[in-house]
Amino acid sequence: MLNAFDLYGQQESFVEIAKYANSTQEFYEGLGFIYMELINFVKGEAELESELDKVFFMLKNMSRLKKLPRILNSGVFQRFFQLASYAKLTKEERYMYDISLKRKWDAEAVRQAHEEDRQELLAKQQALEVQRQALEAERQALEQSKQALQQKQQALEEAHASNLVQA
């Protein structure tokens, strides 16, 4: 049983649903097959309205596209185009591409490791600077305490000397 498929409220002549049914009753209402007749999809690049139109356009014209049209310039279509370009490569080209991709990933991993090491070193330097400042503050406090004690000692010695002079 073939029924026309209604896409977003629009009747599309290139998509049909074939539902699974036996001679007496339907097996399951939601089970069916969708057949896309891309040869009947005639919209041009300027006529694409929905994401589904863009997908059908991409599927129909993929073999002719040398670069991704501006209207399909989104992440999903870019990735799809990259995969199609990869699938088009010969075995040797794919091997060379895989090697270059591995080298790129390795270089990125090394760069990230260096960046992590640099960040870790920077954090350690900052921690050491905080410790140095704390030690410096403690040293200054001890120096002030030492000066205060020396002043008290000097005052006591002067008081003791003046007591000796008076006595």
Side-chain angles (χ1 to χ4, degrees), residues 65-122:
L65 295 174
K66 298 294 181 203
K67 65 177 188 168
L68 194 63
R70 186 177 301 174
I71 194 158
L72 301 177
N73 200 14
S74 70
V76 171
F77 294 113
Q78 287 175 355
R79 181 69 178 136
F80 189 74
F81 197 77
Q82 288 171 347
L83 289 172
S85 298
Y86 179 79
K88 226 171 35 172
L89 298 175
T90 66
K91 188 175 182 177
E92 294 82 22
E93 290 171 331
R94 217 176 288 148
Y95 178 74
M96 290 171 50
Y97 176 78
D98 289 343
I99 288 174
S100 71
L101 196 57
K102 183 183 179 307
R103 287 181 181 156
K104 178 183 171 185
W105 290 340
D106 289 346
E108 179 62 20
V110 168
R111 188 198 65 76
Q112 285 180 353
H114 283 293
E115 180 64 23
E116 289 172 5
D117 289 347
R118 191 182 73 75
Q119 292 293 334
E120 187 177 318
L121 182 61
L122 186 60

Side-chain angles (χ1 to χ4, degrees), residues 4-142:
F5 188 53
D6 189 31
L7 296 172
Y8 303 111
Q10 300 172 343
Q11 193 72 23
E12 300 287 0
S13 62
F14 59 91
V15 178
E16 293 182 357
I17 293 182
K19 291 192 175 184
Y20 178 83
N22 61 20
S23 60
T24 59
Q25 70 185 88
E26 200 169 274
F27 175 71
Y28 176 68
E29 187 176 323
L31 180 63
F33 299 96
I34 297 175
Y35 296 95
M36 298 183 312
E37 297 175 351
L38 290 177
I39 198 163
N40 293 333
F41 182 78
V42 292
K43 290 184 179 181
E45 191 176 328
E47 300 169 304
L48 303 178
E49 298 167 2
S50 67
E51 291 296 312
L52 198 54
D53 284 348
K54 292 176 183 178
V55 169
F56 291 148
F57 179 83
M58 182 91 153
L59 289 173
K60 182 175 182 179
N61 298 296
M62 180 57 72
S63 63
R64 286 179 264 153
L65 295 174
K66 298 294 181 203
K67 65 177 188 168
L68 194 63
R70 186 177 301 174
I71 194 158
L72 301 177
N73 200 14
S74 70
V76 171
F77 294 113
Q78 287 175 355
R79 181 69 178 136
F80 189 74
F81 197 77
Q82 288 171 347
L83 289 172
S85 298
Y86 179 79
K88 226 171 35 172
L89 298 175
T90 66
K91 188 175 182 177
E92 294 82 22
E93 290 171 331
R94 217 176 288 148
Y95 178 74
M96 290 171 50
Y97 176 78
D98 289 343
I99 288 174
S100 71
L101 196 57
K102 183 183 179 307
R103 287 181 181 156
K104 178 183 171 185
W105 290 340
D106 289 346
E108 179 62 20
V110 168
R111 188 198 65 76
Q112 285 180 353
H114 283 293
E115 180 64 23
E116 289 172 5
D117 289 347
R118 191 182 73 75
Q119 292 293 334
E120 187 177 318
L121 182 61
L122 186 60
K124 285 180 181 178
Q125 285 176 337
Q126 289 173 345
L128 286 173
E129 180 62 23
V130 167
Q131 285 179 338
R132 188 195 64 75
Q133 289 174 354
L135 287 173
E136 180 63 25
E138 187 177 337
R139 187 193 64 76
Q140 288 177 356
L142 286 173

